[in-house]
Amino acid sequence: MPDLAGQIRAAARELLAAGEVAAVLGFAPGPLPMTTRPFAARTPAEADRLTWNGFCVMNPANLLPEILAAVEPPRGPKDPPPEGPLPKVAVVATGCWSRNIVVQIQEGRVRRERLVILGIPSRGMIDRRKVLRRVGGREIRRVEEGAHELRVEGPGLHETIPRWEVVRDNCRTCVHPTPVVYDRLLAEPVERTGVDRYAQVAEIEAMTPEDRWAWFRREIAPCLRCYACRNVCPLCYCPTCFVDDSRPQWVGKSLDPADTALFHLLRAYHCAGRCTDCGACESACPMGIRLRLLTKKLEKDVLELFGTEAGLDPGAPLPLAAFRPDDPDEFLTAGPGGGAGPEGPPPREEEPA
Ligand code: SF4
Ligand code: SF4
Ligand code: SF4
């Protein structure tokens, strides 16, 4: 297994010492076992704090715009922009994170020339809830990650867990583990084929509409509306999110199930054609809600309808932000319940006098 943490630190030290970048965005160890936190090294000495392991589950693309702004020379609101190129930032990127960076480039959030992308072909990140379930919720004080197993230790606990069994659901069904854009690739590319990407979605699609609605209500019932899922998502950067708007108030502030359902449905639609299934939202959720299943369904629909996936090509327009004459429009001409059909809408019944 390559020493990725060592390679990230070495690349960060080199880039910072040469002045090629003003910061390297990666991860530092978290306060508890099985946790990490985003960390931006600004000096070669700080690069030694960077780490890498299967618990790096936050998507660093989410922080890129702010870090890029933070390394620009300070200037007042009326000062002209500085002359010459702006400082660069290096960022670690797995397959899905690199695709989120591509989406940010497509959406004008970041500029490619200001980035140095340290690509990491991903073996899949670990779901700490799955680890906790495996050890029956017992206290874990130390986790050592090997190539194919996790050694977990705590009071009276010494267990070896096959790594793949506790990998996150999104990583188990990922078909783009190798970054699609990078400046340096820190390990050999990984290919994954023969994956049934949409098995979980197909199970839900097979339900009757009533059962599907009941499933959805059950799944989101524990939601606290803490918005951690929204806050960690690199797609959710609206200056005012629809859930925070008060004029008009699209969504109530209470835990009313209708408001919670509206939040989840609207957020999922806002991510359609943009979501890379990075799983950061699900990893951040304190209630273990599988909210990725909504965005995964929309990923499947966009692939079937538009033949494209988010973030694979920086030069391509976003599928739902561009118009093509051959775009699917059956929902206009033959929607559920019969729709209008090619002959146009049925004649209106005369209103009774
Ligand atoms: S949920 Fe929608 S409105 Fe809110 S931040 Fe995300 S994309 Fe924007
Ligand atoms: S919606 Fe979730 S899975 Fe999709 S890009 Fe955002 S954080 Fe990642
Ligand atoms: S992180 Fe979980 S609990 Fe919080 S708003 Fe999102 S789904 Fe609800």
Side-chain angles (χ1 to χ4, degrees):
M1 193 171 76
D3 172 19
L4 283 168
Q7 292 199 47
I8 292 168
R9 285 193 283 268
R13 269 195 302 270
E14 184 199 319
L15 289 164
L16 289 163
E20 280 186 49
V21 299
V24 179
L25 177 57
F27 293 86
L32 298 168
M34 301 197 288
T35 61
T36 58
R37 61 190 173 88
F39 176 66
R42 301 283 295 258
T43 65
E46 284 180 357
D48 289 341
R49 292 169 60 187
L50 289 163
T51 192
W52 182 258
N53 57 47
F55 298 101
C56 297
V57 291
M58 281 189 65
N59 187 333
N62 189 35
L63 302 172
L64 263 185
E66 282 73 24
I67 303 264
L68 283 163
V71 299
E72 287 179 15
R75 65 176 199 267
K78 293 193 178 157
D79 293 345
E83 286 182 15
L86 291 167
K88 293 185 180 189
V89 166
V91 57
V92 297
T94 59
C96 54
W97 301 345
S98 76
R99 290 169 55 213
N100 278 111
I101 293 171
V102 168
V103 173
Q104 286 177 322
I105 294 168
Q106 290 170 313
E107 296 185 350
R109 291 269 289 160
V110 301
R111 296 212 317 267
R112 176 70 180 94
E113 61 271 21
R114 288 195 64 196
L115 303 176
V116 174
I117 301 173
L118 305 175
I120 302 177
S122 178
R123 300 188 309 132
M125 299 302 178
I126 295 165
D127 183 340
R128 55 194 296 276
R129 284 193 196 90
K130 288 188 183 178
V131 179
L132 286 167
R133 276 201 294 273
R134 277 292 295 246
V135 301
R138 284 178 288 171
E139 185 188 354
I140 295 175
R141 294 210 178 145
R142 189 164 177 271
V143 175
E144 203 181 304
E145 190 178 350
H148 300 292
E149 71 292 315
L150 288 188
R151 283 178 291 282
V152 182
E153 290 177 15
L157 173 68
H158 301 275
E159 204 160 309
T160 299
I161 301 173
R163 190 181 184 283
W164 190 246
E165 287 182 14
V166 288
V167 161
R168 295 184 306 173
D169 289 351
N170 62 312
C171 299
R172 288 170 69 93
T173 54
C174 170
V175 294
H176 303 294
T178 299
V180 296
V181 282
Y182 55 83
D183 296 289
R184 301 182 186 190
L185 197 60
L186 303 187
E188 290 298 311
V190 175
E191 271 196 40
R192 206 168 292 137
T193 51
V195 177
D196 187 355
R197 309 167 67 175
Y198 300 117
Q200 282 180 306
V201 172
E203 266 178 43
I204 298 160
E205 283 176 336
M207 295 176 186
T208 62
E210 294 74 25
D211 287 350
R212 205 179 305 139
W213 180 242
W215 169 84
F216 172 64
R217 296 284 296 262
R218 265 197 317 276
E219 191 67 37
I220 63 164
C223 178
L224 306 166
R225 305 271 298 279
C226 68
Y227 303 137
C229 50
R230 177 197 64 178
N231 295 349
V232 296
C233 176
L235 308 176
C236 278
Y237 55 79
C238 300
T240 306
C241 177
F242 74 94
V243 292
D244 298 323
D245 231 341
S246 50
R247 286 191 186 179
Q249 190 179 63
W250 305 105
V251 188
K253 308 288 182 202
S254 71
L255 287 179
D256 185 292
D259 288 329
T260 302
L262 192 62
F263 162 60
H264 283 283
L265 292 173
L266 276 187
R267 195 185 95 82
Y269 277 111
H270 289 184
C271 299
R274 306 162 69 221
C275 171
T276 63
D277 202 24
C278 76
C281 47
E282 218 169 80
S283 293
C285 177
M287 305 310 287
I289 294 169
R290 296 175 302 165
L291 61 160
R292 264 189 55 249
L293 290 173
L294 303 179
T295 43
K296 193 74 181 165
K297 159 70 176 155
L298 291 170
E299 175 197 298
K300 177 174 177 281
D301 287 353
V302 168
L303 182 59
E304 286 171 1
L305 293 168
F306 297 90
T308 185
E309 286 176 75
L312 290 182
D313 177 2
L318 287 159
L320 300 188
F323 169 75
R324 285 187 330 213
D326 60 343
D327 274 344
D329 59 2
E330 289 78 11
F331 66 99
L332 289 173
T333 56
E343 299 83 26
R348 284 175 65 175
E349 276 178 34
E350 287 301 316
E351 280 183 35

